[in-house]
PDB file of all heavy atoms in Angstrom:
ATOM      1  N   ALA A 116      95.123 111.380 115.365  1.00  0.00           N
ATOM      2  CA  ALA A 116      96.498 111.837 115.144  1.00  0.00           C
ATOM      3  C   ALA A 116      96.592 113.292 115.574  1.00  0.00           C
ATOM      4  O   ALA A 116      95.589 114.020 115.553  1.00  0.00           O
ATOM      5  CB  ALA A 116      96.892 111.694 113.671  1.00  0.00           C
ATOM      6  N   GLU A 117      97.787 113.698 115.944  1.00  0.00           N
ATOM      7  CA  GLU A 117      97.973 115.092 116.347  1.00  0.00           C
ATOM      8  C   GLU A 117      97.991 115.995 115.112  1.00  0.00           C
ATOM      9  O   GLU A 117      98.543 115.647 114.063  1.00  0.00           O
ATOM     10  CB  GLU A 117      99.278 115.252 117.132  1.00  0.00           C
ATOM     11  CG  GLU A 117      99.286 114.511 118.459  1.00  0.00           C
ATOM     12  CD  GLU A 117      98.149 114.934 119.374  1.00  0.00           C
ATOM     13  OE1 GLU A 117      97.848 116.158 119.423  1.00  0.00           O
ATOM     14  OE2 GLU A 117      97.562 114.059 120.036  1.00  0.00           O
ATOM     15  N   LEU A 118      97.372 117.153 115.256  1.00  0.00           N
ATOM     16  CA  LEU A 118      97.366 118.165 114.197  1.00  0.00           C
ATOM     17  C   LEU A 118      97.898 119.463 114.778  1.00  0.00           C
ATOM     18  O   LEU A 118      97.307 120.023 115.705  1.00  0.00           O
ATOM     19  CB  LEU A 118      95.953 118.377 113.658  1.00  0.00           C
ATOM     20  CG  LEU A 118      95.308 117.225 112.885  1.00  0.00           C
ATOM     21  CD1 LEU A 118      93.834 117.530 112.614  1.00  0.00           C
ATOM     22  CD2 LEU A 118      96.049 116.991 111.577  1.00  0.00           C
ATOM     23  N   ASP A 119      99.032 119.927 114.255  1.00  0.00           N
ATOM     24  CA  ASP A 119      99.552 121.219 114.683  1.00  0.00           C
ATOM     25  C   ASP A 119      98.684 122.330 114.103  1.00  0.00           C
ATOM     26  O   ASP A 119      97.954 122.132 113.123  1.00  0.00           O
ATOM     27  CB  ASP A 119     100.998 121.391 114.221  1.00  0.00           C
ATOM     28  CG  ASP A 119     101.941 120.427 114.930  1.00  0.00           C
ATOM     29  OD1 ASP A 119     101.611 120.006 116.059  1.00  0.00           O
ATOM     30  OD2 ASP A 119     102.995 120.093 114.339  1.00  0.00           O
ATOM     31  N   ALA A 120      98.791 123.515 114.696  1.00  0.00           N
ATOM     32  CA  ALA A 120      97.932 124.629 114.277  1.00  0.00           C
ATOM     33  C   ALA A 120      98.090 124.949 112.791  1.00  0.00           C
ATOM     34  O   ALA A 120      97.111 125.269 112.107  1.00  0.00           O
ATOM     35  CB  ALA A 120      98.254 125.868 115.117  1.00  0.00           C
ATOM     36  N   ASP A 121      99.319 124.851 112.269  1.00  0.00           N
ATOM     37  CA  ASP A 121      99.531 125.185 110.865  1.00  0.00           C
ATOM     38  C   ASP A 121      99.130 124.054 109.915  1.00  0.00           C
ATOM     39  O   ASP A 121      99.236 124.202 108.701  1.00  0.00           O
ATOM     40  CB  ASP A 121     100.987 125.585 110.618  1.00  0.00           C
ATOM     41  CG  ASP A 121     101.963 124.440 110.866  1.00  0.00           C
ATOM     42  OD1 ASP A 121     101.604 123.493 111.605  1.00  0.00           O
ATOM     43  OD2 ASP A 121     103.083 124.484 110.329  1.00  0.00           O
ATOM     44  N   GLU A 122      98.659 122.938 110.471  1.00  0.00           N
ATOM     45  CA  GLU A 122      98.177 121.844 109.639  1.00  0.00           C
ATOM     46  C   GLU A 122      96.660 121.874 109.481  1.00  0.00           C
ATOM     47  O   GLU A 122      96.072 120.964 108.899  1.00  0.00           O
ATOM     48  CB  GLU A 122      98.598 120.501 110.232  1.00  0.00           C
ATOM     49  CG  GLU A 122     100.099 120.271 110.210  1.00  0.00           C
ATOM     50  CD  GLU A 122     100.483 118.941 110.805  1.00  0.00           C
ATOM     51  OE1 GLU A 122     100.187 118.709 112.002  1.00  0.00           O
ATOM     52  OE2 GLU A 122     101.074 118.112 110.074  1.00  0.00           O
ATOM     53  N   ILE A 123      96.034 122.923 109.976  1.00  0.00           N
ATOM     54  CA  ILE A 123      94.590 123.087 109.850  1.00  0.00           C
ATOM     55  C   ILE A 123      94.315 124.441 109.200  1.00  0.00           C
ATOM     56  O   ILE A 123      94.882 125.463 109.580  1.00  0.00           O
ATOM     57  CB  ILE A 123      93.891 123.028 111.224  1.00  0.00           C
ATOM     58  CG1 ILE A 123      94.147 121.676 111.895  1.00  0.00           C
ATOM     59  CG2 ILE A 123      92.387 123.268 111.079  1.00  0.00           C
ATOM     60  CD1 ILE A 123      93.610 121.582 113.302  1.00  0.00           C
ATOM     61  N   VAL A 124      93.450 124.433 108.187  1.00  0.00           N
ATOM     62  CA  VAL A 124      93.029 125.668 107.532  1.00  0.00           C
ATOM     63  C   VAL A 124      91.505 125.690 107.498  1.00  0.00           C
ATOM     64  O   VAL A 124      90.851 124.668 107.708  1.00  0.00           O
ATOM     65  CB  VAL A 124      93.592 125.772 106.094  1.00  0.00           C
ATOM     66  CG1 VAL A 124      95.112 125.812 106.111  1.00  0.00           C
ATOM     67  CG2 VAL A 124      93.095 124.619 105.222  1.00  0.00           C
ATOM     68  N   LEU A 125      90.948 126.867 107.227  1.00  0.00           N
ATOM     69  CA  LEU A 125      89.504 126.992 107.081  1.00  0.00           C
ATOM     70  C   LEU A 125      89.152 127.058 105.602  1.00  0.00           C
ATOM     71  O   LEU A 125      89.733 127.846 104.845  1.00  0.00           O
ATOM     72  CB  LEU A 125      88.999 128.252 107.791  1.00  0.00           C
ATOM     73  CG  LEU A 125      89.015 128.245 109.319  1.00  0.00           C
ATOM     74  CD1 LEU A 125      88.502 129.584 109.856  1.00  0.00           C
ATOM     75  CD2 LEU A 125      88.173 127.102 109.874  1.00  0.00           C
ATOM     76  N   VAL A 126      88.227 126.219 105.184  1.00  0.00           N
ATOM     77  CA  VAL A 126      87.698 126.250 103.815  1.00  0.00           C
ATOM     78  C   VAL A 126      86.207 126.528 103.934  1.00  0.00           C
ATOM     79  O   VAL A 126      85.445 125.677 104.393  1.00  0.00           O
ATOM     80  CB  VAL A 126      87.947 124.922 103.081  1.00  0.00           C
ATOM     81  CG1 VAL A 126      87.313 124.954 101.694  1.00  0.00           C
ATOM     82  CG2 VAL A 126      89.445 124.636 102.972  1.00  0.00           C
ATOM     83  N   ASP A 127      85.812 127.729 103.558  1.00  0.00           N
ATOM     84  CA  ASP A 127      84.408 128.139 103.706  1.00  0.00           C
ATOM     85  C   ASP A 127      83.902 127.882 105.124  1.00  0.00           C
ATOM     86  O   ASP A 127      82.795 127.393 105.336  1.00  0.00           O
ATOM     87  CB  ASP A 127      83.522 127.415 102.691  1.00  0.00           C
ATOM     88  CG  ASP A 127      83.839 127.799 101.266  1.00  0.00           C
ATOM     89  OD1 ASP A 127      84.287 128.939 101.058  1.00  0.00           O
ATOM     90  OD2 ASP A 127      83.655 126.962 100.365  1.00  0.00           O
TER      91      ASP A 127
END
Side-chain angles (χ1 to χ4, degrees):
E117 295 303 320
L118 293 171
D119 293 334
D121 64 338
E122 294 180 300
I123 300 174
V124 298
L125 289 179
V126 177
D127 295 331

